[in-house]
Amino acid sequence: MKLEHLGIAVKSLSDSVPVFEKIFNKKATDIEEVSEQKVRVCKIKLENCDIEILEPTDPESPIAKFIEKRGEGIQHISFEVPDIKQSLNELKEGGVRLINEEPRTGAEGMLIAFLHPKSTAGILMELAQHQK
Ligand code: ZN
């Protein structure tokens, strides 16, 4: 399993993205709206993982709720798996609590699913599978 990306919750992409572009000396990808997650998202692609920058589009978005409770910051850590359904089944059988029992579609058409932070030391972990 390898680190796929860090998900960073921000109030405003237009405020935050230029700062990250400067830090990493790299242009972010075009902004994509992921309606299922109620976010607008872009990525900065680094050598070993991506930085995923997320802005809520709705007060009911998990990103909006995160910012309301904890302020801006790292919201989730995403790990790449070859077969997300298999991983979810194995984790469920192993007693790990899942937020998503079935994969959903995230940015760039990746299949994603979140594990429950109650099972993972308070860290919101995402599994992600690239679709060929
Ligand atoms: Zn993510």
Side-chain angles (χ1 to χ4, degrees):
M1 218 186 269
K2 76 169 192 157
L3 183 58
E4 215 290 327
H5 62 263
L6 297 178
I8 298 179
V10 301
K11 291 177 188 166
S12 158
L13 288 179
S14 53
D15 287 348
S16 294
V17 170
V19 178
F20 287 111
E21 286 180 331
K22 190 166 285 178
I23 292 167
F24 297 113
N25 194 27
K26 201 145 193 219
K27 280 271 162 220
T29 59
D30 290 341
I31 292 171
E32 177 186 353
E33 182 154 350
V34 182
S35 52
E36 197 186 294
Q37 307 288 327
K38 300 188 174 77
V39 291
R40 293 169 74 228
V41 53
C42 67
K43 290 188 169 184
I44 297 180
K45 300 193 167 262
L46 305 181
E47 278 170 43
N48 56 345
C49 82
D50 295 347
I51 304 293
E52 179 180 78
I53 310 166
L54 302 139
E55 173 196 89
T57 55
D58 186 291
E60 289 306 304
S61 160
I63 297 298
K65 289 179 180 166
F66 176 88
I67 293 171
E68 198 182 301
K69 268 195 217 149
R70 296 159 75 164
E72 295 177 302
I74 294 179
Q75 193 255 353
H76 67 270
I77 304 178
S78 179
F79 294 90
E80 185 179 353
V81 293
D83 183 338
I84 193 167
K85 284 198 173 176
Q86 187 189 330
S87 295
L88 290 171
N89 285 338
E90 286 171 4
L91 291 174
K92 193 179 172 186
E93 278 170 25
V96 175
R97 284 176 65 185
L98 309 176
I99 292 178
N100 307 121
E101 304 220 342
E102 290 294 322
R104 309 183 161 228
T105 305
E108 299 178 315
M110 276 191 306
L111 295 176
I112 61 165
F114 289 99
L115 313 185
H116 200 292
K118 285 239 154 68
S119 282
T120 52
I123 301 162
L124 181 56
M125 291 175 68
E126 178 188 87
L127 302 183
Q129 178 190 340
H130 285 273
Q131 301 206 81
K132 298 280 148 63

